[in-house]
């Protein structure tokens, strides 16, 4: 069964039992709430998980999700470049929850972690502010920190990638709550 590249929340909800849901957020974000029966394969690990994802896609169509849909779109493009068909959830887990659908949480429910986009905004803003303050108080060359972040944000927007998110995703607090790749109830496609 082929599905379109983007699924709305209502489409995904109606087809949820016939899909393998792959959440590409960090393990800590995944642990803070994910679609029922989703498996966690962080975006920076998609390449290493290609054999398992290819195998899962042969059983049931893949639905890739993240917080808002941007990382999921990148993952779908990566999978497509390797011959693996997948769709992404428009609006991500944020839209899923906003439409009143439940999110699963682990039993031990670790401390909530900020969404990756919020972590990136905070880090970028803090480094820009630090560069400006140090540029005024210590040496004007510190303003280059702010310029570097600005250049990185422009590149991120143009390429639809985020190097800062990749780096932040590898921090220890974003690694808690790892889940196995295989879904608890894989069933062959009819």
């Amino acid at each position: 069964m082929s599905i379109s590249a983007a699924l709305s929340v209502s489409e995904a909800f109606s087809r949820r039992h016939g899909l393998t849901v792959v959440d590409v957020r960090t393990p800590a974000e995944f642990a803070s709430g994910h679609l029922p029966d989703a498996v966690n394969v962080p975006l920076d690990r998609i390449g290493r998980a290609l054999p398992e994802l290819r195998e899962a896609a042969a059983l049931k169509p893949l639905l890739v999700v993240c917080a808002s849909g941007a990382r999921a779109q990148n993952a779908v493009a990566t999978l497509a470049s390797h011959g693996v068909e997948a769709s992404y959830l428009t609006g991500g887990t944020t839209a899923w929850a906003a439409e009143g659908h439940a999110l699963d949480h682990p039993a031990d429910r670790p401390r909530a972690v900020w969404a990756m986009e919020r972590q990136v905004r905070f880090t970028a803003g803090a480094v820009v502010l630090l560069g400006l303050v140090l540029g005024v108080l210590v040496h004007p060359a510190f303003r280059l920190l702010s310029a570097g972040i600005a250049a990185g944000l422009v590149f991120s927007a143009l390429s639809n990638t985020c190097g800062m998110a990749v780096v932040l995703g590898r921090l220890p607090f974003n690694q808690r709550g790892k889940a196995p790749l295989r879904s608890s109830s894989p069933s062959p496609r009819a």
Side-chain angles (χ1 to χ4, degrees):
M1 169 173 105
S2 179
I3 56 178
S4 64
L7 289 181
S8 68
V9 171
S10 59
E11 291 171 317
F13 184 78
S14 67
R15 299 178 184 179
R16 69 191 180 282
H17 299 297
L19 300 170
T20 297
V21 180
V22 179
D23 192 317
V24 295
R25 296 175 299 157
T26 66
E29 287 177 294
F30 180 81
S32 70
H34 55 272
L35 272 66
D37 298 321
V39 293
N40 186 219
V41 181
L43 183 59
D44 64 339
R45 296 188 188 121
I46 289 286
R48 290 182 286 205
L50 276 171
E52 291 92 351
L53 291 169
R54 189 173 282 114
E55 184 180 310
L59 297 173
K60 295 195 288 190
L62 298 181
L63 176 64
V64 181
V65 299
C66 65
S68 67
R71 285 179 278 178
Q73 286 180 24
N74 287 339
V76 166
T78 299
L79 290 168
S81 72
H82 288 92
V84 179
E85 190 176 326
S87 297
Y88 66 92
L89 180 64
T90 304
T93 56
T94 302
W96 180 270
E99 289 201 22
H101 301 300
L103 295 175
D104 282 355
H105 299 89
D108 59 346
R109 200 150 188 200
R111 177 181 62 88
V113 174
W114 283 359
M116 186 54 64
E117 293 164 12
R118 185 175 181 192
Q119 290 181 45
V120 168
R121 289 192 310 264
F122 176 81
T123 304
V127 173
V128 166
L129 185 60
L130 178 66
L132 291 174
V133 168
L134 290 176
V136 169
L137 298 178
V138 178
H139 191 276
F142 280 108
R143 292 184 194 151
L144 292 175
L145 282 173
S146 301
I149 293 297
L153 291 171
V154 169
F155 176 79
S156 177
L158 293 174
S159 67
N160 200 25
T161 62
C162 186
M164 187 179 291
V166 170
V167 171
L168 290 171
R170 292 186 177 150
L171 293 176
F173 59 84
N174 280 322
Q175 296 300 312
R176 290 180 299 164
K178 290 185 182 181
L181 175 60
R182 301 217 190 280
S183 174
S184 58
S185 58
S187 61
R189 186 171 22 166

